């Protein structure tokens, strides 16, 4: 056989491939650079592009610039060289490449920690019920059946025992302009407490089931419907307008001292989707106008039509249970027991990407940023909290912190603040 050695010119040509590009951004006007085509070496990295953008900004403003930007090419975050991204996306250098830049995600700074001396199971955020991007009050559910409620500055405003067993989930909902704190528990009940700032929580409704109620979701479209997933794999829909009976609050296991008698409405189950899953339902979420998405340890994610009370489609997650889910438009993300976060297209039930946690351990909780749905935070049994850009190359963008024990829950309070907690009994 014959081997023809490449000439120096051919080697140099490979090393110095070039592409014509244009920079675009949605940032304010003072961060705009000329959008005239520019020639770039494909060996360039994020650092090189940052240098170019800051130089162009200096030329425009006359002032030194040292901003840290991230760059998106064909909806993928640039984390290596342009050449590597071209190869991964099977792109050519013949067309003008559009490069979008935005501010890079910086590692969050620790703002507050608080010891609770009890395992933290879940978080609920008032902003979600209001469709707000402003950080507001939030509630921490604990394994001893109590809740801690904090204001946006992390000041404790309420500490109450609500259940006789561990709280599994918590959320806020608005019903006829009244705000309710919803909690579910291993004690097989679901509670709705009327919430008024600076006043004691008032138990208004209670739902009962024969197994634990493990996750809850309130519909923003139909404010009277609450969905829940149970330990025996069922999906239950509760209608606040349908009450089977009333009980005195004095008859409840958790006693409260009150000057007046308060009647508690016992919720009637509007609909049941039996054996939607064959194992515990771990997470549930309303999407769109009348659909639910649910995850379970039975290795499936289900899309459910709320009006017809039927399962529309099933996503099989191979050999891993689903601990947590979140969704954006037609994409769902699942935190699994095999240390991965996986992405699926709901319309086709097809998996499109896998993100691998740095250390082995269940991904117990995940949440998409309320403002930038490409940014996701996760917590897991490897004790870590990580930030991901779902357009990236399947590894964490930033490690937020490493706790001393398993992380059970994590979420966003506004687009800038991350709250987390777990078996360490410390709120971060």
């Amino acid at each position: 056989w014959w081997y023809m050695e490449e000439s120096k010119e051919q080697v140099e040509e490979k090393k110095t491939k070039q592409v014509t590009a244009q920079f675009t951004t949605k940032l304010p006007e003072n961060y705009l650079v000329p959008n005239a085509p520019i020639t770039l070496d494909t060996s360039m990295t994020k650092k090189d592009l940052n240098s170019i953008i800051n130089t162009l900004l200096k030329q425009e403003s006359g002032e030194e610039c040292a901003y840290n930007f991230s760059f998106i090419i064909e909806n993928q975050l640039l984390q290596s060289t342009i050449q590597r991204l071209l190869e991964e996306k099977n792109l050519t250098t013949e067309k003008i490449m559009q490069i979008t830049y935005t501010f890079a995600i910086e590692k969050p700074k620790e703002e507050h920690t608080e010891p609770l001396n009890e395992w933290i199971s879940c978080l609920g955020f008032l902003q979600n019920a209001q469709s707000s991007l402003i950080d507001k009050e939030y509630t921490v559910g604990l394994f001893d059946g109590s809740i801690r409620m904090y204001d946006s500055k992390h000041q404790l405003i309420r500490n109450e025992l609500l259940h006789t067993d561990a709280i599994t989930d918590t959320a806020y909902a608005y019903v006829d302009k009244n705000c309710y704190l919803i909690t579910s528990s291993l004690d097989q009940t679901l509670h709705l407490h009327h919430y008024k700032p600076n006043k004691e929580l008032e138990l208004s409704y209670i739902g009962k089931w024969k197994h634990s109620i493990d996750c809850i979701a309130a519909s923003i479209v139909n404010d009277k419907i609450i969905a829940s997933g149970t330990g025996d794999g069922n999906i239950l829909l509760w209608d606040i307008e349908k009450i089977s009976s009333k009980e005195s609050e004095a008859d409840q296991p958790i006693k409260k001292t009150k000057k007046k008698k308060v009647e508690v409405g016992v919720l009637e189950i509007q609909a049941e989707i039996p054996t939607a899953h064959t194992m515990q339902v771990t997470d549930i979420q309303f999407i769109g106008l009348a659909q639910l998405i649910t995850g379970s340890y039975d290795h499936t994610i289900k899309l459910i039509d709320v009006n017809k009370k039927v399962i529309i489609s099933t996503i099989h997650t191979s050999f891993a249970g689903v601990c947590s889910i979140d969704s954006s438009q037609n994409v769902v993300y699942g935190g699994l027991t095999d240390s991965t976060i996986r992405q699926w297209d709901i319309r086709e039930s097809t998996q499109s990407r896998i993100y691998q946690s740095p250390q082995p351990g269940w991904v117990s909780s995940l949440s998409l940023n309320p403002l930038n749905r490409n940014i996701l935070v996760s917590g897991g049994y490897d004790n870590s909290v990580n930030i991901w850009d779902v357009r990236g190359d399947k590894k964490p963008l930033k490690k937020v912190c490493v706790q001393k024990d398993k992380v059970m829950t994590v979420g966003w309070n506004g687009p800038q603040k991350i709250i987390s907690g777990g078996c360490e009994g410390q709120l971060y």
Side-chain angles (χ1 to χ4, degrees), residues 5-6 24 40-41 47 80 114 122 124 132 140 156 219 241 261 292 295 297 306 320 331 334 352 354 364 378 384 399:
E5 188 174 349
E6 290 180 318
T24 63
L40 303 174
D41 290 341
K47 182 179 179 181
S80 182
E114 181 163 341
C122 56
S132 170
V140 182
L156 181 66
S219 172
E241 290 187 328
K261 280 189 174 182
L292 278 171
Y297 287 140
V306 175
V331 177
S352 55
I354 301 175
S364 54
S378 70
S384 71
K399 179 168 284 189

Side-chain angles (χ1 to χ4, degrees), residues 118-135:
E118 181 60 51
W119 285 15
I120 298 168
S121 58
C122 56
L123 294 164
F125 298 93
L126 182 59
Q127 61 160 14
N128 294 342
Q130 297 177 333
S131 298
S132 170
L133 295 177
I134 302 173
D135 54 317

Side-chain angles (χ1 to χ4, degrees), residues 100-114:
T100 303
Y101 62 96
T102 187
F103 289 124
I105 300 293
E106 305 292 346
K107 182 177 180 179
K109 296 177 181 178
E110 188 175 289
E111 184 178 73
H112 179 79
T113 62
E114 181 163 341

Side-chain angles (χ1 to χ4, degrees), residues 277-313:
H277 292 277
T278 58
M279 296 178 70
Q280 174 188 341
V281 183
T282 54
D283 208 350
I284 189 167
Q285 185 180 99
F286 277 96
I287 60 171
L289 295 176
Q291 292 182 338
L292 278 171
I293 192 159
T294 62
S296 170
Y297 287 140
D298 68 2
H299 305 175
T300 66
I301 293 172
K302 308 271 185 169
L303 183 63
I304 297 169
D305 187 307
V306 175
N307 293 330
K308 296 180 180 179
K309 317 298 187 296
V310 295
I311 297 170
I312 301 172
S313 61

